[in-house]
Amino acid sequence: FGIRRVQTLKHGETQTLTITTGGTTVRHFMQGAVVRFKRAHPDVNLRFLPASSSRRCFEILRLSQADLGFVTTGDPVRGINEKTIAHQRLFLLVAKSDPLARHKRVTLKDIEGIRYLGLSGTTTSHSAIEQAALERGVTLKPEVVFDDFDTAKIFVELDLGQAIVPAVQAHNFEKTGTVKAILVTDLPPISIGWAFRRWQHLPAVAHEFVELMA
């Protein structure tokens, strides 16, 4: 990255800002920031590298294949720094026809025995949900495993089960009118934010994109 930036300054080559994150993060979190960024920097190439988990994002950053990662924070990795920007409560996503849809709030005990649609075991969110359930003596064994929350919504709409999703995704999914999101009161919030190697070494456009997201 250092060599590339020197060449950009010396020869006027097009600069690239590379961000690694989950495959559906742009849809749920970054659309507005991407539009504003491209209007301000039409000559900067904005590149997204999809990753199935925060840990995979960390690997990409350690290999210097991306400038920034948008991840679930709180599980630090050696050589990677984090900047948390928000905390999301977790919601149970159910079909509108599901008997649970009449509830506004549930606890983990209330949903033990559901047809649980679970995240892949490699994700930070899965680990947090599993740990909280174990602490309360609740078993949530996934009948179907997926890598992203958009896939979970599809399965819920097909009435294959129920999934646990973060607040932003829950809000967006509920707007479609086909599913309902119910707060799980005893699940701890999930932290989200930026991952990077060295803040001071990031290009100026990376700092600007982070500010736009904030």
Side-chain angles (χ1 to χ4, degrees):
F1 276 106
I3 294 173
R4 188 185 69 193
R5 289 170 188 150
V6 169
Q7 289 174 339
T8 298
L9 293 172
K10 184 177 180 180
H11 302 295
E13 296 176 6
T14 301
Q15 189 173 2
T16 298
L17 173 60
T18 303
I19 299 171
T20 180
T21 188
T24 63
T25 299
V26 175
R27 180 184 309 162
H28 292 287
F29 292 95
M30 296 185 181
Q31 291 186 57
V34 169
V35 171
R36 293 192 297 273
F37 181 85
K38 288 301 294 181
R39 285 174 179 167
H41 300 283
D43 296 329
V44 176
N45 288 330
L46 192 56
R47 179 171 175 247
F48 290 93
L49 285 180
S52 60
S53 67
S54 294
R55 194 156 295 277
R56 176 57 184 151
C57 289
F58 297 147
E59 291 174 5
I60 290 171
L61 289 169
R62 291 180 71 174
L63 292 171
S64 296
Q65 294 175 349
D67 300 286
L68 290 166
F70 194 76
V71 301
T72 303
T73 59
D75 187 16
V77 173
R78 190 172 186 176
I80 301 296
N81 294 289
E82 296 178 339
K83 182 182 180 72
T84 297
I85 65 170
H87 303 278
Q88 295 200 86
R89 299 298 301 273
L90 290 167
F91 288 73
L92 182 71
L93 197 69
V94 303
K96 277 289 187 71
S97 59
D98 193 307
L100 286 168
R102 69 178 185 271
H103 296 282
K104 292 184 178 180
R105 297 166 177 260
V106 292
T107 66
L108 284 168
K109 281 288 187 183
D110 294 331
I111 63 175
E112 187 171 24
I114 62 171
R115 293 170 296 153
Y116 180 48
L117 308 173
L119 280 172
S120 165
T122 62
T123 63
T124 307
S125 296
H126 167 84
S127 299
I129 293 169
E130 186 178 64
Q131 181 61 35
L134 284 173
E135 290 173 358
R136 289 157 181 79
V138 174
T139 300
L140 290 175
K141 185 177 180 180
E143 294 187 6
V144 179
V145 175
F146 51 85
D147 284 328
D148 65 81
F149 296 114
D150 283 34
T151 303
K153 173 185 176 271
I154 294 171
F155 290 155
V156 171
E157 288 176 327
L158 292 172
D159 199 24
L160 294 178
Q162 303 88 9
I164 295 174
V165 303
V168 169
Q169 286 91 338
H171 172 73
N172 290 340
F173 294 154
E174 201 169 41
K175 287 193 298 185
T176 66
T178 59
V179 295
K180 182 178 179 185
I182 307 161
L183 178 66
V184 185
T185 57
D186 52 351
L187 276 177
I190 297 294
S191 302
I192 57 172
W194 295 105
F196 45 86
R197 296 187 71 184
R198 294 289 183 271
W199 183 255
Q200 64 272 25
H201 294 165
L202 289 172
V205 289
H207 289 271
E208 186 168 342
F209 193 88
V210 169
E211 288 302 316
L212 286 172
M213 276 287 292

